[in-house]
Amino acid sequence: MTTLSSVKTTSGLASVLAMVVMGLALMFVAGHAQSATLHDAAHDMRHATGFPCH
Amino acid sequence: MFQRMLTGALFAGCAAGLIAALLHFAFVQEVILLGERYETGELSHFQGSAPEAPADHAHEAGTANDHANGAEAADPNALTRNGLTVLFTILIYVSYTGLLVAGFGLAETLGKRIGAVEGILWGIAGFVSFQLAPALGLPPELPGTVAADLGDRQVWWWGTVALTGTALALLAYGHHAWKYPLAVGMLALPHIIGAPSIDEYYGVAPPEVGAMFSARVLGVGLVVWAVLGWFAGQLWERSRTA
């Protein structure tokens, strides 16, 4: 039982970690990356969510 | 669990992003466009200011703004610009929701149940972490505002978000008495260090416009985060019992 529950916990934590990485990556691309195209496209929303822009 | 989190992030994030876009166009976009007209020099703060300036100023701004709205509607670039704003609003809110449901997943792994009510509280905590606390040092800026080095501001922003979010989680779920001084210290630290700033102000837009922009951004953010948390919590609970 202990082994089963610890396997479940480990798999749960791995899923959580994967989700965190995906969320952070998307936030970086949409909100922080400074390529000119991305910046121009996301410009109004970066200002309107308070991300540091320019 | 990963699929449950991903589904929640996509559904709740898209819904919240659409609501955010709606509120953005209702309250925020007109202030951005007005700020840009000062940035480009089309409007000038205190231009020809006379003793009766306040009334004249308001009248001029009102008239000019009506004109701007007409021009905006006829501008073919406006459709692309606003379409991209909707797209990126959804992307940003999906990313917020992804991190929120990752928190739900972590809570469940540690034996905590999250439903709609907890979701609202988590959503408000998300707003405080991602928008309110960073805004104390780096208030949402009208386009055209001159500020400190971008890299420094981004580092301060990420640090403030991480410390504030961790402190709130500690306050909510910590078990030991030392959580209080530790959390207060984490909440205060970014503001004791201070956000990167410059020694002078170069803003060309009237302070009223900048203040209106910051207030509306934060107001819209609070509403959308609360709805996002409620919806994500609701989905999370339903997918657990399903």
Side-chain angles (χ1 to χ4, degrees), chain B residues 44-199:
Chain B
S44 181
H45 186 206
F46 273 121
Q47 184 178 33
S49 63
E52 65 274 19
D56 272 4
H57 187 72
H59 177 69
E60 269 177 31
T63 312
N65 199 19
D66 291 345
H67 175 70
N69 288 340
E72 177 67 21
D75 182 359
N77 292 326
L79 193 63
T80 311
R81 174 176 178 171
N82 292 341
L84 285 169
T85 297
V86 173
L87 175 68
F88 274 87
T89 308
I90 292 171
L91 289 178
I92 286 174
Y93 274 91
V94 168
S95 76
Y96 285 154
T97 316
L99 295 175
L100 192 76
V101 295
F104 290 177
L106 180 62
E108 188 169 280
T109 307
L110 299 174
K112 307 283 180 194
R113 279 183 65 167
I114 304 291
V117 175
E118 291 80 6
I120 293 177
L121 293 173
W122 279 62
I124 293 171
F127 165 73
V128 172
S129 304
F130 283 94
Q131 289 192 261
L132 187 62
L136 295 183
L138 299 172
E141 291 173 348
L142 261 184
T145 308
V146 177
D149 178 69
L150 177 67
D152 292 349
R153 281 182 291 138
Q154 288 184 335
V155 167
W156 188 87
W157 188 93
W158 282 107
T160 305
V161 168
L163 282 168
T164 307
T166 308
L168 293 179
L170 199 58
L171 282 175
Y173 293 104
H175 292 299
H176 300 285
W178 50 257
K179 74 179 184 180
Y180 296 105
L182 183 62
V184 169
M186 290 169 79
L187 288 171
L189 185 62
H191 308 286
I192 293 170
I193 294 170
S197 62
I198 47 179
D199 295 335

Side-chain angles (χ1 to χ4, degrees), chain A residues 9 12-13 15-16 18-20 22-24 26-27 30 32 34 41-42 44-45 47-54, chain B residues 1-2 5 24 29 81 84-85 88-89 91 95-96 98-99 102 106 109 130-131 141 143 150 153-154 157 213 217:
Chain A
T9 304
L13 289 176
S15 299
V16 167
M19 200 66 221
V20 167
M22 281 179 64
L24 289 177
L26 184 57
M27 186 174 290
H32 290 263
Q34 283 302 307
D44 289 357
M45 196 30 65
H47 278 275
T49 38
F51 286 99
C53 198
H54 303 295
Chain B
M1 168 136 64
F2 182 76
M5 287 189 285
H24 174 84
Q29 186 70 9
R81 174 176 178 171
L84 285 169
T85 297
F88 274 87
T89 308
L91 289 178
S95 76
Y96 285 154
L99 295 175
L106 180 62
T109 307
F130 283 94
Q131 289 192 261
E141 291 173 348
L150 177 67
R153 281 182 291 138
Q154 288 184 335
W157 188 93
F213 178 75
V217 161

